[in-house]
């Protein structure tokens, strides 16, 4: 298992923002990072017209996989325990279900 800090790059017109998170995998980190980026907003269809490869539109903003960096397990655990970054994916198990739900399905 290897441990990473990943970034999703977002472009809102002239402004660029990075969303950082933790993930761990024994598999292909580049392939996983691309999948996590594609699923970032939970959209069923992905429009990338006019954007570089790996970038997608979400209304008027674009997003895609940014850089990711390998860290030691100790660093990963400390960042997770201190809630510096959210752990999105580990041990080949998705930690958060981003599937849209109705108010009733959420317990309301």
């Amino acid at each position: 298992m290897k441990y990473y800090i990943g970034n999703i790059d977002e472009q809102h017109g002239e402004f660029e923002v990075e969303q950082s998170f933790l993930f761990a995998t024994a598999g292909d980190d580049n392939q996983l990072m691309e999948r996590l980026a594609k699923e970032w907003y939970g959209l069923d269809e992905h429009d990338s017209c006019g954007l570089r490869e790996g970038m997608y539109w979400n209304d008027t903003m674009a997003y895609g996989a940014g850089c990711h960096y390998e860290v030691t397990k100790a660093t990963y655990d400390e960042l997770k325990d201190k809630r510096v970054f959210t752990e999105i994916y580990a041990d080949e198990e998705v930690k958060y279900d981003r599937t849209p739900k109705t108010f009733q399905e959420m317990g309301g």
Side-chain angles (χ1 to χ4, degrees):
M1 182 77 63
K2 292 186 178 180
Y3 303 89
Y4 302 91
I5 297 173
N7 295 311
I8 299 296
D9 290 340
E10 295 183 356
Q11 297 174 340
H12 304 263
E14 297 176 10
F15 302 100
E16 296 182 8
V17 178
E18 283 186 352
Q19 305 290 338
S20 299
F21 58 91
L22 299 170
F23 71 98
T25 184
D28 184 333
D29 54 303
N30 292 312
Q31 185 177 23
L32 176 58
M33 186 65 194
E34 290 297 324
R35 192 180 103 215
L36 291 172
K38 190 172 187 177
E39 295 174 354
W40 191 249
Y41 283 101
L43 301 176
D44 292 330
E45 296 182 21
H46 295 87
D47 176 14
S48 58
C49 183
L51 298 172
R52 67 173 169 81
E53 185 177 346
M55 293 291 289
Y56 307 97
W57 287 110
N58 183 3
D59 197 21
T60 59
M61 56 89 66
Y63 65 98
C67 297
H68 63 284
Y69 308 93
E70 187 174 352
V71 296
T72 65
K73 181 170 182 5
T75 299
Y76 184 93
D77 288 341
E78 186 169 348
L79 292 171
K80 182 174 81 171
D81 291 345
K82 294 191 182 217
R83 299 180 185 168
V84 174
F85 299 118
T86 300
E87 181 183 49
I88 297 297
Y89 188 97
D91 299 325
E92 307 303 318
E93 175 186 333
V94 176
K95 295 290 184 180
Y96 301 98
D97 180 6
R98 294 180 180 270
T99 306
K101 294 187 178 11
T102 66
F103 182 72
Q104 290 77 17
E105 290 174 321
M106 292 175 55

